[in-house]
Amino acid sequence: MSANHQEVPAVLDMSQKPRVLSTLSGSLKSALSLSVLVIVAAFVLSYAFGSLGLQIVTLTLVQLAAVLAVSVYTGNTGAVSFGHAAMMAIGAYTAGILTMSAGVQATALPQLPQFLARHELSLSAALIWAALAGLVFGLVTGMPIRRMSGDAAAVATLAFLIITNVILIGAQPITRGSQTFYGVPRLTTFWVALIGAVVLIAIARIYRDLPSGLSVRASRDNDVAAASVGVDVHAARYRAWVLSAVMTSVAGALYGCFLGAFSPKDFYFDLTFGLLAMLIVGGMYTVSGAIAGTVFISFVVQVLRRLESGIDVGQLHIPGMFGLPLLGMAAAVLIIVWRRPAGLAGLREFSFFRPEAPPQPALAIPRPASTGAGESPGMLDIRQVRVQFGGLVAIDDVSFSVPASGVVGLIGPNGAGKTTLINVICGQLRATSGTVMLDGARIDRMPSASIARAGLARTVQNIRVFEKMTVLENIAAAALSTGCKLHEAREIAAAEMERLGLTEFHERLAGTLAYGPRRRLEIARALALKPKFLLLDEPAAGMNPRETEELFGVLTRIRSDFDLGIIVVEHDLHFIMRFCDRIVVVNKGQKIAEGTPQEVRQNPAVIEAYIGSRRHGAEKTADINQTTT
């Protein structure tokens, strides 16, 4: 490794705090922009419609706080949650009991346990206890939830909602059961609701761009790809769930202290559907969407509530319809899902400020140091690996080694088992037998995220970028897996974007890139892991000759810049023969040849596998030589 790639970039002469604030400046500006919009709209509407408008705006602000809390989990993980109304109930009952006056409490809750009785706390103190109750709920329920995604997570959260409702009804000495829980002081005023909404806007918006938020959003877009760049998917989901539970319980406490009286049915399916309708209509992937959806649905509900009892238009009387607000919410959800799946706000966060320029690239990206004198060089050893699916043997006793700084090509006909072998090496598939060793340590029993952090980075044949994240965020999410700080991850991402010609796309969503830049993005993301070995699965697949030649130049520069071993799976033999030091050939799950490009080109078994057995050897050799020239 050259000296300039062994050095760690010098730390700038400034305190850590300003660097963190500078890194999050985009998030802070966006949070400020959203807060200003909410504050201005709240004041205008409350003064325009008098006391009734003030009540409606206050309720909308409380609902906004709840929707923001839901979005921290649902928006960042992509898993729809039906259980957040249960968390609101926990916060509401906690705050209600702790703020209730002793006289009312003695009448309404005569059997209340002594440790809960006669506290008469202020709202601020009650919110702290509600947050702690949400924290406990989140920590306990998050244990199973963190291992689930998609439909499984949705069903589990529905179970939490039902279980909580049954417990609330059954715990009559504490909750009055199914009867109305009354006597809660109405402490959630307009100002309290506004402050609560603004604080939760800031938390939700900043969280998205923190390391934890980047990790969980990467797992949302593609959990397999996230694990392959070192993201602990389960831990990322767990953190999002717990934070969301705390925020939701606080929102529930505000809601309970706004209503003054409530029962378990107020925190059941109707509230659940209302929160999800607001989130889906506005756009579940952004904080801006949570705000837009809450405002839109609140407006629709208020209008339809006026029409619910009927309306006179001139001489015409239009009869009322019970349940019209619920019907309006359902119609809005259907229309949005049909016509604009990303919601009213789309996939971008709103901000009054201009998009920021990309961060300055790191002066030198730290790489694993070369081994010292007397130490054995780094080595990736694949030893007698066998993969069997029932009676089908996909890989049969394959062994080979990749030295540090060496480039090994892995070739073979379609269905030969190349990608299966790469998946075993990277931990995405467990071998039936055999071992994979990295620098003398066994890694084939480790999770794929741990293998990535140990020094194995990969790309895949079917490109898996994080489509709803920007190019910069894609690479930074991988860099964070190395243990660096957020500002360092962004600097590493900037350096890799510059290296791969992606700087102009830094603010583009990865899903909007053309094929070539997407492939380069995947390679840049893998390099941000600071790997010891890079595994490329058909990097030139789907490329035209010009794009393939550009990719060859990029990989050649990477090989010269970094001291790392490379495994390349590729069907383009011309590409393989030029790029690789050694080539391993597999066919029908077995290794049939290994050697230099020239040796493999002349090997009869390779010729047989690629060309077939109908022509004579000289003709076969001529064919494969022509293919690789």
Side-chain angles (χ1 to χ4, degrees), residues 294-437:
T294 302
V295 172
F296 180 82
I297 291 295
S298 296
F299 173 78
V300 169
V301 167
Q302 292 303 321
V303 170
L304 294 181
R305 192 163 285 161
R306 300 292 184 275
L307 302 177
E308 194 173 19
S309 57
I311 186 174
D312 294 322
V313 181
Q315 300 298 319
L316 178 66
H317 175 73
I318 301 176
M321 179 185 296
F322 179 74
L324 196 57
L326 189 62
L327 178 63
M329 282 195 293
V333 170
L334 286 174
I335 293 171
I336 286 294
V337 170
W338 173 39
R339 300 298 299 175
R340 191 176 172 83
L344 296 175
L347 299 174
R348 291 287 191 178
E349 292 287 7
F350 173 80
S351 178
F352 289 123
F353 302 90
R354 282 185 165 189
E356 295 197 346
Q360 290 300 310
L363 298 179
I365 300 177
R367 299 281 161 183
S370 299
T371 55
E375 296 179 359
S376 59
M379 184 73 71
L380 177 63
D381 287 314
I382 294 87
R383 301 177 182 175
Q384 298 178 316
V385 168
R386 178 183 177 89
V387 179
Q388 187 170 349
F389 304 102
L392 174 65
V393 179
I395 302 293
D396 188 9
D397 196 29
V398 171
S399 300
F400 64 94
S401 297
V402 184
S405 305
V407 180
V408 173
L410 184 61
I411 66 172
N414 287 325
K418 304 181 296 295
T419 297
T420 300
L421 185 56
I422 293 295
N423 288 339
V424 169
I425 296 171
C426 294
Q428 292 172 4
L429 184 64
R430 189 65 62 85
T432 306
S433 62
T435 59
V436 179
M437 310 288 289

Side-chain angles (χ1 to χ4, degrees), residues 51-73:
S51 59
L52 178 61
L54 186 65
Q55 287 293 101
I56 293 174
V57 170
T58 303
L59 176 59
T60 302
L61 290 170
V62 173
Q63 291 173 330
L64 172 58
V67 175
L68 288 165
V70 176
S71 74
V72 167
Y73 175 73

Side-chain angles (χ1 to χ4, degrees), residues 504-553:
E504 63 180 301
F505 305 120
H506 77 282
E507 277 295 315
R508 285 270 299 273
L509 296 177
T512 66
L513 296 179
Y515 185 87
R518 283 162 70 101
R519 178 65 75 183
R520 297 202 305 274
L521 170 58
E522 196 176 35
I523 295 172
R525 190 177 64 187
L527 289 174
L529 276 171
K530 302 183 287 189
K532 300 174 183 176
F533 291 89
L534 178 63
L535 285 64
L536 306 171
D537 192 354
E538 300 197 27
M543 291 187 173
N544 59 41
R546 181 184 61 80
E547 291 172 328
T548 300
E549 196 60 29
E550 289 177 355
L551 177 65
F552 179 81

